[in-house]
Amino acid sequence: MRQLFLFICGALLSAAASSQAPPTQWIESRFNSWQQNNFQEKIYVHTDKAAYLTGEICWFKMYNVDGYNHQPAGLSKVAYVEMLDKNNRPVLQAKIALEKGFGDGSLYLPATMLTGNYKIRAYTNWMKNYGADCFFEKTVSIINPQKSAEESKYSGRELYDVGFFPEGGYLVNGLESKVGFKVNNRFGKGVPFEGLLLTNQGDTIAHFKPARFGMGSFIFTPWTGTQYKALIKLPDGQQQIVMLPVTKETGYNMRLERAAHGEIQIKVQTTEPANGYPVFLFVHTRYAVKKMLSSILEKGETDFSIPDSVLGDGISQLTVFNSAQQPVCERLYFKKPLQKIQITASTDQASAGIRKRIRVGVSSAKESGEAVSANMSMAVYKIDSLITTDECSISNYLLLSADVAGTIESPGYYFSDNEDIVAADNLMLTQGWRKFKWNQLAENKKQLFQFLPEVYGHIVTGKIVPSRAGLPVKEIAAYLTVPGLITQFQTAITDSIGNIKFDMKNLYSDGDIIVQTNNEKDSGYRFEIDTPFIDTYSGKKLADLSHMDRNDAVLKRYISTQVQNAYVYNQLNRSSAKLPDTTAFYSRPNASYLLDNYVRFTTLEEVFREYVLEVNVRKPGGKFSLPVMNTGGQAYFLTQPLVLLDGLPVFNIDKIMSYDPLKIRKLDVLTSKYFLRDNSFTGIINLTTYKGDLDGFEIDPRATIINYEGLQLQREFYSPVYATSAQQQSRMPDFRSLLLWSPELKTDSKGKLQTTFYTSDVKGKYAIVIEGLSNDGRPGEQTIYFDVN
């Protein structure tokens, strides 16, 4: 896999450029070295819709891609999803298994949630190394009909968010500058306004107003010694005064203009004594270097020209370096994407009655018309005043929203046929976020990563805590058990300061985990287990909910939800039949005994002596020992095997030998040396009870028992079938407004697929929303409509 190859190469190689290399080569070499050592993941989450009532289920599909080319990324096997309230408090959390870059899950929205907007955010363990700004975030609206609208309504003076952004980053004395601006209300929407640019003496420099979405720009020449401010006259009559950034005495600025014939012109100016010195323009699209140019400053300025065609789809980053290879200006540029999959969809009927079958045909192709296979997800839901089509899509997220700092109003607009160049340019002027710091390139230091990629499964981390001072914490063997019918057991060794991590491949349990040392020789310790959910957050603001009033659509949806929960609750909460690997961690044992097939003895000593030939029962010094046959050496091992009860290691053999054998269903024996992480065992004896619950066995009081939620076992989406007249005439009510959620659709090599679903008893207009990603990294989406009457 490309991403794993780059990750390994980045960990082993350094691409530091020679100090004698030309500046252009030096910058590009350092950048490529950073890129190789910093594999980037992006996650996109397709939710079934964007607005919910409490009591409903939020269904979602996760697309984890290589940030470089947007191809499915197989590096991480686990993703974390959270629903955050306006104070960034996690309301719901889940761990989702990823397979070849894809995963799906669901969140039940309890009646305790308050009405309002919430953030859904998602990330992998590896993404934590780059901060919360690179996590996926999406706003969803949740309404709790049992909470009065008046309690949730905003009261008081309207709030606005006003910002000014000099092109290139700075205002410089005497250099004509373009300044972008934006004004949003508390709902995250741009508002119309009128603005005046004033000096601190009150002189008017310029008038300005937004072009679209509350954004625009103006041009003026700033001077040091003068503080500039903007007087904003807002639509509700309010006025705000906002100070512009302070003007620098010396420095650089840049101006970007779209010229004719697809050319991009960049003018660089400076007030520093740099005539005759070079400046450099470095351009990349998602870490792919597109251009590296140099030019000589004459009279404090120079020009660059780049064909738009050389840039990649989406956002490119343009950085100006001075002659000392220091970054001095930067801005973003958006190119409307061309490399998308074209998804077409159609139904076999434009309108249908209740409880009728609908067939949907879907095709996927490249922009050239060539068929391409794609991994897709599909939602079919009723459109009403509460729920409209989602503005966030896989294309506008991967190619736009993921690479900027703030929230974008109507991101789909920049991908539509109505998109205009001025609006896109204003958006780029008022956004900016760097996934890496240029000073990291200058220092050329290998980055130390705190969080490892979960390439095999979930990593449980924690720390060993000694019960008294002076006990060592380094190189202590620890054991993690998930009691159950599936034996889940892992070992690890603490590092120099007592940190511990367990690689758990299929941790689907939703209950207790037990962590302990070998208390026969390493007693006096307990463990503190970390949460894998991170408690840092992005700077993106969560807008207020703009439609909280109780209305007819909310009431109907609420009644429908209650009816569904009353009649088909068990179907709504049924887990998928797709289970993880059910074999024990040691795979196949050399011998396995179902004890009900044998004479049931009253002691385990009798069981082992009578028919478990692979184990030799000994009692040296009056204490039991159970050495296992070494099949390779045709003799018994001299040391004790690993003895497990429902996956729990038992180091006191006398204690296990006193356990009631009538509670044991199965006994496995592994008759060879077994290596697990940094530990080795001379054979394994694994005893399993009938329910996998340790059935009364007394756990060592020094063990640490923690309730720990594993990977989510997915619910099955409930979708009744009305294939016969008897099913159609059933008196069981069907008030579903979400007719279909299908997260695992794939078009074939010809780019085709077909699926079916049945309408419910709820009439109205329905949307079929399809999103998908091709293997070569092309995103795409399509929405079509039909009526139920």
Side-chain angles (χ1 to χ4, degrees), residues 592-603:
S592 185
Y593 299 89
L594 292 173
L595 299 196
D596 285 339
N597 294 338
Y598 297 85
V599 175
R600 298 309 303 253
F601 295 103
T602 57
T603 67

Side-chain angles (χ1 to χ4, degrees), residues 7 66 71 91 114 164-165 199 214 235 240 286 365 405 489 650 655 659 686 779:
F7 177 74
D66 183 334
Q71 293 177 4
V91 178
L114 302 177
F164 290 88
F165 310 86
T199 66
Q240 286 191 24
R286 296 188 306 276
F489 169 79
V650 181
K655 187 174 180 179
Y659 189 68
N686 185 23

Side-chain angles (χ1 to χ4, degrees), residues 392-585:
C392 180
S393 74
I394 189 169
S395 294
N396 62 49
Y397 179 76
L398 293 181
L399 293 166
L400 179 59
S401 301
D403 294 324
V404 298
T407 302
I408 300 174
E409 180 182 352
S410 301
Y413 172 79
Y414 303 95
F415 293 74
S416 68
D417 295 335
N418 297 324
E419 180 264 344
D420 66 80
I421 293 174
V422 173
D425 194 57
N426 287 332
L427 178 66
M428 294 298 98
L429 280 172
T430 57
Q431 298 283 349
W433 170 44
R434 312 299 170 256
K435 293 185 181 180
F436 62 92
K437 304 296 183 184
W438 283 111
N439 60 353
Q440 294 176 349
L441 273 68
E443 296 170 359
N444 199 33
K445 292 181 180 179
K446 181 181 287 189
Q447 184 171 344
L448 298 177
F449 298 107
Q450 179 182 357
F451 303 99
L452 297 176
E454 294 178 303
V455 296
Y456 301 110
H458 180 47
I459 298 176
V460 179
T461 63
K463 190 176 184 68
I464 194 169
V465 179
S467 60
R468 63 180 185 276
L471 282 178
V473 295
K474 180 181 178 182
E475 296 182 354
I476 304 296
Y479 308 90
L480 186 150
T481 296
V482 185
L485 294 173
I486 303 172
T487 301
Q488 298 185 78
F489 169 79
Q490 188 56 269
T491 70
I493 304 292
T494 59
D495 66 11
S496 60
I497 58 174
N499 292 320
I500 194 80
K501 62 183 182 67
F502 301 94
D503 287 308
M504 305 299 295
K505 184 178 180 181
N506 288 312
L507 183 57
Y508 283 85
S509 172
D510 187 11
D512 290 338
I513 63 173
I514 303 170
V515 188
Q516 61 181 327
T517 60
N518 181 346
N519 289 317
E520 293 294 296
K521 59 179 183 179
D522 289 319
S523 60
Y525 295 97
R526 64 179 177 85
F527 291 88
E528 294 177 352
I529 299 300
D530 302 327
T531 174
F533 297 97
I534 198 165
D535 60 356
T536 57
Y537 306 95
S538 74
K540 295 181 181 180
K541 295 181 179 179
L542 185 63
D544 286 348
L545 180 62
S546 59
H547 51 277
M548 292 186 184
D549 292 331
R550 188 186 300 267
N551 56 39
D552 187 56
V554 172
L555 182 60
K556 288 180 179 179
R557 279 275 301 280
Y558 178 65
I559 293 172
S560 297
T561 300
Q562 297 307 309
V563 170
Q564 289 296 103
N565 286 334
Y567 283 91
V568 292
Y569 178 83
N570 291 335
Q571 288 91 330
L572 292 173
N573 290 278
R574 187 168 55 191
S575 294
S576 171
K578 183 178 68 175
L579 295 174
D581 185 4
T582 56
T583 58
F585 69 93

Side-chain angles (χ1 to χ4, degrees), residues 203-220:
D203 298 327
T204 300
I205 305 298
H207 293 77
F208 57 92
K209 61 182 180 179
R212 186 180 291 273
F213 302 130
M215 297 182 296
S217 65
F218 57 80
I219 296 173
F220 85 113

